[in-house]
Amino acid sequence: MKGFSLSKAWFYLGLLFLYAPMAILIIYSFNSARVVTVWAGFSTKWYGELFGDSQLMSAVWISLRIAFFTACSAVVLGTMAAFVLVRFRPTKWKTAFSSMITAPLVMPDVIIGLSLLLLFVAMADVLGWPKDRGMLTIWIAHVTFCSAYAAVVITSRLREMDLSLEEAAMDLGAPPLKTFMTITLPLLLPALAAAWLLSFTLSIDDLVIASFVSGPGATTLPMEVFSSVRMGISPKVNALATLIILVVSVAAFISWLLVRRAERRRQADLEAIKAAP
Amino acid sequence: MKLRLPPGRRLVMGIPFAWLLLFFVVPFVIVLKISLSENIVGIPPYKPLLEWADDTLKVVVNFSNFIWLSQDSLYFDAYVNSLKVAAISTVLCLLVGYPMAYAIARAKPSSQPALLLLIMLPSWTSFLIRIYAWIGILKNQGLLNQFLMWLGVIQEPLHILNTNTALYIGVVYAYLPFMVLPLYANLSRHDQSLLEAASDLGARGWKAFLTVTLPLSKAGMVAGAMLVFIPVVGEFVIPELLGGPQSLMIGKVLWNEFFSNRDWPVAASLAVVMLGLLCVPIAFFNRQQAKELEGEQ
């Protein structure tokens, strides 16, 4: 079919469009010149400068910590939300809940950021809490929108899951919590891992919402990068970008391998069950 | 309230429900409240809506922010421009993304997850850094101009950075995966026997595509369009870094109103109007998602 080869060629062009800017960043992170677009020889000095920049490194540390706690909390909330969406009877509470959980997926960042900041200010005014804005308020804001993404990822897995295993466990006398811990949770694990990784990257990547809800005490990595980009381009940012791309690619590759292996094992188990007399 | 759920189930629903209510719904009520109050110098920089003075409760509702928005053409232009940029970007993403999604859906089933991963991978690395990469490519002495001059296509460097062209490149680049993903999900579920039937009846190639595949993928196109259109309306980073003075967008205006002018009530009213504009598409998206999420019950 002619249309098929055409779309294939277009697909590779699209990949070129997606990857060329990142490839250029990586190549120029090893450029010894200060000017980003002039090649003046190979050098790793920007990596040295990057690790010597204590302000940038402290921003990295703050972002990593927020992203870790955000991802853990978002997976817990997202799992609960997914159970509500898949396993609960339709009621008007559930309808309200499902539109509330999907709204953060599309809501523009500036609106989420502004509205949460105004909430925190109002709460500080009325309740005296939170006293100052920083890591805690960024964490709350990130959990709110990451839960929505986590819920979507976990929902799609939960919907495919076979209920009969859980029913069998219950029939054999396992209480609901034990069934959840020994049957449901292990089956759900790949989706939970995917949701965790997604929440982690969303949190570590967010500039707009964090800028609104952070105080003077907490500057995240995107905020630091944004201000340095606005001041003028520094090759240090290229080095940082290269490291981020490297870490993400390795993590994505490992998770892809794990998912593929789990999938193959599941297939093999199914075959074995079918083959058994 | 009539909730006949066992206590465990009530907790499972109650915790995320309470979280979203407190940190997603209540904030919008507060935005609405502050959009109706007056800007003052102080902390926080707005007047309270309810005032308790001389044993009387006074409710001071102030529409001056909205009147201010309607009088200054800057805001109106920013809204119109945001909607225009979002609409054009959505169409561009659809044009670029549809053939890509189609190619993945028609690839060998065993290689589809890997191809999808290739599309998703860039969106997992920092959004800000990927937009920043385009500055180095698009500026006057940038790589694109150097390359084109080396080819001899142009004599003078093209002025691309800080124009609408750069803005569209950046937006399509950043939002392409959000278009490809729902389209792929839709296209890969299509029943191939329909195409065979069409082929038996004489519709092949383009004709089969236009009469069978394209109409069947409507839901995927709508989902992708929503995922691109709605966030782009409020986009801040791309117009700030790649766009020029003529690409004024509402997200950028809101940011400036809040951080530079420190006028919280005007920023809140901008957000209220933006939300009003996005109400219909967001409600539409939510309905589609809800249908999708509950589809198989």
Side-chain angles (χ1 to χ4, degrees):
Chain A
M1 208 155 80
K2 211 173 149 202
F4 175 49
S5 57
L6 201 71
S7 69
K8 211 165 161 183
W10 189 258
F11 176 77
Y12 287 116
L13 270 179
L15 281 190
L16 187 71
F17 173 61
L18 286 177
Y19 283 91
M22 287 157 70
I24 289 167
L25 274 187
I26 295 172
I27 294 166
Y28 278 89
S29 75
F30 295 107
N31 183 7
S32 63
R34 226 200 132 70
V35 192
V36 179
T37 45
V38 178
W39 183 261
F42 182 87
S43 145
T44 52
K45 70 172 174 184
W46 301 117
Y47 289 88
E49 280 207 23
L50 177 68
F51 288 110
D53 188 334
S54 62
Q55 209 180 333
L56 208 57
M57 284 297 116
S58 97
V60 170
W61 181 230
I62 287 176
S63 275
L64 283 174
R65 272 189 298 173
I66 294 175
F68 177 81
F69 291 119
T70 295
C72 295
S73 329
V75 166
V76 173
L77 282 179
T79 309
M80 289 180 172
F83 268 88
V84 174
L85 292 173
V86 177
R87 299 280 174 88
F88 280 30
R89 269 180 288 111
T91 57
K92 61 174 191 284
W93 292 100
K94 190 185 152 182
T95 314
F97 183 77
S98 57
S99 54
M100 237 157 66
I101 193 92
T102 50
L105 296 179
V106 283
M107 194 63 70
D109 289 353
V110 281
I111 297 186
I112 298 185
L114 180 72
S115 61
L116 273 166
L117 170 74
L118 296 178
L119 171 80
F120 292 138
V121 171
M123 279 169 77
D125 206 26
V126 177
L127 306 171
W129 183 90
K131 263 208 189 63
D132 42 31
R133 295 185 295 280
M135 280 179 59
L136 180 70
T137 50
I138 300 175
W139 170 74
I140 292 175
H142 284 186
V143 170
T144 306
F145 76 89
C146 288
S147 302
Y149 287 88
V152 169
V153 173
I154 300 166
T155 300
S156 63
R157 176 81 189 176
L158 196 60
R159 233 179 8 185
E160 292 167 6
M161 226 165 84
D162 196 352
L163 265 173
S164 56
L165 281 171
E166 284 162 89
E167 279 162 5
M170 301 269 232
D171 284 348
L172 294 171
L177 193 64
K178 185 155 189 207
T179 309
F180 177 78
M181 286 300 180
T182 53
I183 307 287
T184 318
L185 208 56
L187 284 173
L188 218 51
L189 213 55
L192 297 182
W196 194 94
L197 278 174
L198 182 64
S199 304
F200 188 87
T201 48
L202 283 170
S203 165
I204 216 161
D205 201 20
D206 164 62
L207 163 75
V208 174
I209 296 172
S211 298
F212 275 101
V213 299
S214 85
T219 307
T220 62
L221 181 62
M223 289 158 73
E224 196 66 52
V225 170
F226 184 63
S227 66
S228 86
V229 168
R230 274 220 278 205
M231 301 277 217
I233 291 170
S234 150
K236 260 187 291 191
V237 176
N238 288 344
L240 182 69
T242 303
L243 292 179
I244 293 177
I245 292 169
L246 186 76
V247 169
V248 170
S249 312
V250 169
F253 185 67
I254 291 173
S255 65
W256 178 70
L257 277 183
L258 287 178
V259 168
R260 202 178 61 159
R261 216 178 57 182
E263 200 61 31
R264 286 208 174 146
R265 202 172 336 145
R266 212 168 58 110
Q267 289 291 336
D269 287 350
L270 279 176
E271 297 295 319
I273 291 168
K274 276 183 198 149
Chain B
M1 133 174 148
K2 204 170 58 183
L3 259 181
R4 276 169 302 170
L5 291 171
R9 293 205 136 201
R10 215 175 296 174
L11 209 64
V12 166
M13 181 146 175
I15 292 171
F17 201 104
W19 182 285
L20 284 169
L21 208 62
L22 179 57
F23 295 118
F24 195 71
V25 178
V26 172
F28 291 125
V29 178
I30 292 173
V31 170
L32 191 63
K33 193 198 100 176
I34 288 168
S35 73
L36 294 172
S37 64
E38 212 177 314
N39 187 33
I40 53 166
V41 180
I43 301 169
Y46 53 85
K47 248 188 188 165
L49 209 56
L50 302 174
E51 248 173 310
W52 183 256
D54 307 324
D55 290 333
T56 47
L57 183 70
K58 272 201 298 187
V59 182
V60 188
V61 181
N62 183 336
F63 288 102
S64 65
N65 300 311
F66 290 99
I67 294 166
W68 168 250
L69 291 191
S70 67
Q71 275 167 352
D72 196 329
S73 67
L74 169 94
Y75 303 108
F76 182 76
D77 292 347
Y79 280 117
V80 171
N81 197 45
S82 298
L83 292 175
K84 193 187 91 187
V85 168
I88 294 177
S89 311
T90 305
V91 173
L92 289 174
C93 278
L94 193 59
L95 290 177
V96 178
Y98 198 103
M100 295 178 79
Y102 188 80
I104 304 176
R106 290 291 169 276
K108 267 194 313 224
S110 58
S111 57
Q112 285 183 13
L115 296 179
L116 215 56
L117 183 77
L118 278 177
I119 299 284
M120 290 307 291
L121 192 60
S123 63
W124 290 341
T125 66
S126 170
F127 175 82
L128 187 58
I129 278 172
R130 286 182 302 130
I131 295 306
Y132 151 82
W134 281 101
I135 298 179
I137 298 173
L138 296 176
K139 64 182 182 177
N140 282 359
Q141 299 82 36
L143 292 166
L144 183 65
N145 274 318
Q146 284 181 15
F147 180 66
L148 289 176
M149 291 202 326
W150 177 77
L151 280 180
V153 181
I154 50 168
Q155 306 303 318
E156 298 266 296
L158 298 170
H159 179 64
I160 305 175
L161 188 64
N162 301 330
T163 65
N164 273 337
T165 314
L167 177 67
Y168 287 124
I169 292 174
V171 172
V172 172
Y173 178 71
Y175 285 90
L176 191 58
F178 298 99
M179 181 62 88
V180 174
L181 212 63
L183 272 176
Y184 162 77
N186 179 291
L187 286 168
S188 66
R189 277 203 306 254
H190 284 188
D191 189 350
Q192 290 306 307
S193 58
L194 287 171
L195 278 178
E196 281 163 28
S199 163
D200 287 347
L201 295 171
R204 288 183 190 88
W206 278 106
K207 192 161 182 209
F209 174 77
L210 290 175
T211 53
V212 180
T213 309
L214 200 62
L216 279 177
S217 59
K218 201 184 127 212
M221 289 197 275
V222 170
M226 292 293 143
L227 278 178
V228 175
F229 183 84
I230 303 170
V232 172
V233 170
E235 184 54 52
F236 164 73
V237 176
I238 305 174
E240 174 73 19
L241 294 183
L242 301 180
Q246 78 278 56
S247 54
L248 195 62
M249 286 179 69
I250 203 64
K252 205 169 134 179
V253 172
L254 192 156
W255 178 284
N256 288 337
E257 222 36 87
F258 184 84
F259 285 105
S260 312
N261 297 348
R262 305 209 40 82
D263 194 336
W264 292 20
V266 164
S269 353
L270 279 167
V272 169
V273 176
M274 199 198 307
L275 207 58
L277 281 176
L278 291 177
C279 241
V280 174
I282 289 176
F284 193 66
F285 175 82
N286 271 339
R287 232 190 45 195
Q288 273 239 323
Q289 278 292 306
K291 258 198 292 190
E292 188 91 344
L293 291 171
E294 283 156 28
E296 272 134 63
Q297 282 184 341

